Amino acid sequence: MENSKFRDWTALDYDVLGVILNKMVSLYDYLQFSIVCKSWYFVALRHKHQRSIITSKFPQLPMLIVPSKDGLENQHCLYDPRKNRTRPVDFKFCFNKRCCGSSFGWLIMCEETLNLTLFNPFSGTVICLPSIFIDDEPDYAPDRIVKAILTKDPSLYPNDYMVVAIYSSYSRLCLMRANDKSWTYSYPEPNIPFKDINVSSDTLYATENNMMVWKVEVKNRDDESSSISISLKMVHAKRTNDFVVSYITESSKGELLLVLRSISEEDSQLETTKFKVYKLIDECENDMLRAVKLKSLDGDAMFIGDSQSICVSTKYFPKCLPNCIYFINGYYNYIPNLEQDSGIFNLEDKRFANHYIRDPAHKNLPQPIWIIPTICSKDFED
């Protein structure tokens, strides 16, 4: 048998390389494949359709955008939680703008004027959005945009996505469809202070503190205009006293999950003390959901923070810890000089571990945020 040390891997049969590519679910592995040699690059180039399948069918493992070691605003790194490794990247933006969300590889940046900008740091694409108007807070600041998400990837659905934001000190809800010229606002009476928003099975959900969950529906108005309205319907109503932050997300199997995070504050330092996770099941009357407490994530890993919460199956990312919650920040961006916490929580044994540890010298820079890596077209130019 030919010694593998002398085997010419660049001469592997095209069909064999195609089979390898078709079994990949990680965009990072796909990109690594393409840079092995020139012949492998051209195979990857001819299998562009597989890149689209990977992007649309398999949630990618999030990475953290973190400052460079020297803390320069125009230099950044990506932290890989699988390998506990940080590597530099060439992003085309400064780290001095506040990022109020991250979805599908896009950052949602907030300006001083409360204008939002969608920015894909991997492709350099920018989408400018109009300002969010807060009429009852004359002294508002950029951190009044608490959190924002995208319902779909603008790269894949340029005319069929929405931007949804929680804004103002009242934590109200507003949204904007692709190609809209202005935001649509929700003013429920009494006010509902929302904490998180996400999409599951093409349905938009929002949470309050504790276990209050709302279904968010976008409806056309009953007139000749093309304007829309926001309708809210409570689908889970239960309160608990010992948790202060809630998240809503979807498992890799499409199950709706509610996450409760308990945080203590001492000497300007946040500390996450425990998590609870519930699966919300549609088994009740009047479209109400029943909450079932989970003891594991069924092999998933969950990523939460200021970004859109996401679960990925660890069977596709074997070095990622199963049944664990990778968390960052504590949802308190508007409190000055408050140190955020981060870590890994194992839902099965209730133990905490570390991932990225922030350099104290970077305390005046924006907080790290999870982002889903994407491959842009310039990586595979014909």
Side-chain angles (χ1 to χ4, degrees):
M1 184 176 178
E2 184 183 359
N3 192 322
S4 61
K5 291 183 179 179
F6 303 99
R7 184 174 298 158
D8 185 4
W9 293 100
T10 66
L12 275 180
D13 186 78
Y14 177 89
D15 291 336
V16 173
L17 293 174
V19 170
I20 296 172
L21 276 176
N22 288 337
K23 291 187 177 295
M24 288 185 178
V25 297
S26 167
L27 284 175
Y28 179 75
D29 291 342
Y30 189 90
L31 184 58
Q32 292 296 105
F33 176 98
S34 72
I35 62 177
V36 169
C37 61
K38 185 173 292 187
S39 62
W40 287 34
Y41 169 84
F42 284 112
V43 173
L45 184 64
R46 295 187 184 102
H47 280 71
K48 283 184 177 181
H49 69 282
Q50 177 63 15
R51 193 173 82 234
S52 300
I53 292 173
I54 290 174
T55 302
S56 60
K57 290 183 62 176
F58 301 103
Q60 296 299 299
L61 186 72
M63 295 185 179
L64 275 180
I65 295 182
V66 299
S68 63
K69 290 184 179 180
D70 55 18
L72 295 178
E73 292 179 345
N74 61 345
Q75 294 183 7
H76 312 86
C77 293
L78 278 178
Y79 171 80
D80 186 344
R82 293 180 302 171
K83 302 177 181 179
N84 192 28
R85 182 185 303 169
T86 301
R87 57 189 179 93
V89 289
D90 183 21
F91 287 161
K92 307 299 183 184
F93 76 104
C94 289
F95 219 85
N96 59 354
K97 290 184 179 180
R98 180 173 178 268
C99 185
C100 58
S102 171
S103 298
F104 302 104
W106 292 74
L107 298 176
I108 306 173
M109 315 295 290
C110 187
E111 307 286 347
E112 292 288 337
T113 58
L114 297 194
N115 288 61
L116 295 188
T117 300
L118 307 183
F119 176 65
N120 189 319
F122 301 97
S123 66
T125 306
V126 175
I127 301 174
C128 296
L129 304 177
S131 174
I132 292 179
F133 181 61
I134 306 178
D135 56 353
D136 52 358
E137 293 185 54
D139 297 325
Y140 58 76
D143 53 18
R144 293 298 87 181
I145 310 300
V146 180
K147 189 171 188 176
I149 68 162
L150 298 168
T151 59
K152 293 182 179 180
D153 185 350
S155 301
L156 300 176
Y157 305 95
N159 299 308
D160 189 30
Y161 70 89
M162 287 193 300
V163 187
V164 189
I166 299 172
Y167 74 100
S168 88
S169 59
Y170 297 99
S171 297
R172 293 172 175 147
L173 204 65
C174 66
L175 58 84
M176 185 176 182
R177 300 171 299 181
N179 304 317
D180 277 353
K181 302 300 182 183
S182 61
W183 293 85
T184 298
Y185 301 88
S186 174
Y187 297 101
E189 292 292 344
N191 182 62
I192 303 171
F194 292 109
K195 296 303 176 184
D196 196 26
I197 40 180
N198 215 329
V199 178
S200 177
S201 300
D202 294 323
T203 301
L204 187 62
Y205 293 94
T207 66
E208 292 184 60
N209 276 339
N210 304 306
M211 298 179 68
M212 311 291 284
V213 181
W214 297 79
K215 182 179 179 180
V216 183
E217 296 180 323
V218 180
K219 299 180 178 180
N220 293 321
R221 293 189 182 275
D222 296 329
D223 53 37
E224 296 181 356
S225 70
S226 59
S227 60
I228 56 176
S229 63
I230 299 174
S231 174
L232 301 171
K233 182 176 182 179
M234 181 181 288
V235 293
H236 190 267
K238 185 177 179 181
R239 295 190 180 276
T240 179
N241 295 323
D242 59 341
F243 287 90
V244 296
V245 180
S246 62
Y247 303 87
I248 193 85
T249 189
E250 184 180 62
S251 75
S252 65
K253 299 178 178 63
E255 301 162 323
L256 184 62
L257 302 181
L258 174 65
V259 184
L260 302 181
R261 177 181 181 181
S262 182
I263 300 176
S264 65
E265 179 188 344
E266 185 175 351
D267 298 328
S268 299
Q269 172 69 51
L270 290 182
E271 181 181 2
T272 299
T273 57
K274 56 183 174 180
F275 283 94
K276 290 183 180 180
V277 181
Y278 296 85
K279 179 167 65 174
L280 299 179
I281 303 174
D282 186 10
E283 291 183 351
C284 303
E285 297 179 355
N286 302 322
D287 295 327
M288 295 295 286
L289 303 176
R290 181 170 67 91
V292 179
K293 188 178 178 181
L294 300 181
K295 295 182 179 180
S296 80
L297 297 176
D298 198 18
D300 278 3
M302 182 184 295
F303 297 81
I304 63 173
D306 294 332
S307 59
Q308 189 168 11
S309 305
I310 185 175
C311 291
V312 298
S313 174
T314 57
K315 71 179 181 180
Y316 299 127
F317 304 97
K319 292 185 179 180
C320 190
L321 299 176
N323 305 308
C324 287
I325 301 173
Y326 290 75
F327 62 93
I328 193 79
N329 300 350
Y331 213 65
Y332 284 81
N333 285 327
Y334 57 90
I335 300 179
N337 303 317
L338 189 64
E339 288 294 323
Q340 308 278 359
D341 72 336
S342 63
I344 305 169
F345 178 79
N346 189 308
L347 194 61
E348 292 184 312
D349 62 20
K350 313 302 181 186
R351 294 183 179 179
F352 285 88
N354 292 326
H355 55 77
Y356 174 77
I357 299 177
R358 195 180 191 207
D359 188 336
H362 297 162
K363 66 178 182 179
N364 294 324
L365 293 175
Q367 299 288 337
I369 191 167
W370 296 113
I371 190 168
I372 298 174
T374 61
I375 298 177
C376 59
S377 58
K378 69 181 181 180
D379 295 317
F380 293 97
E381 292 177 350
D382 291 314

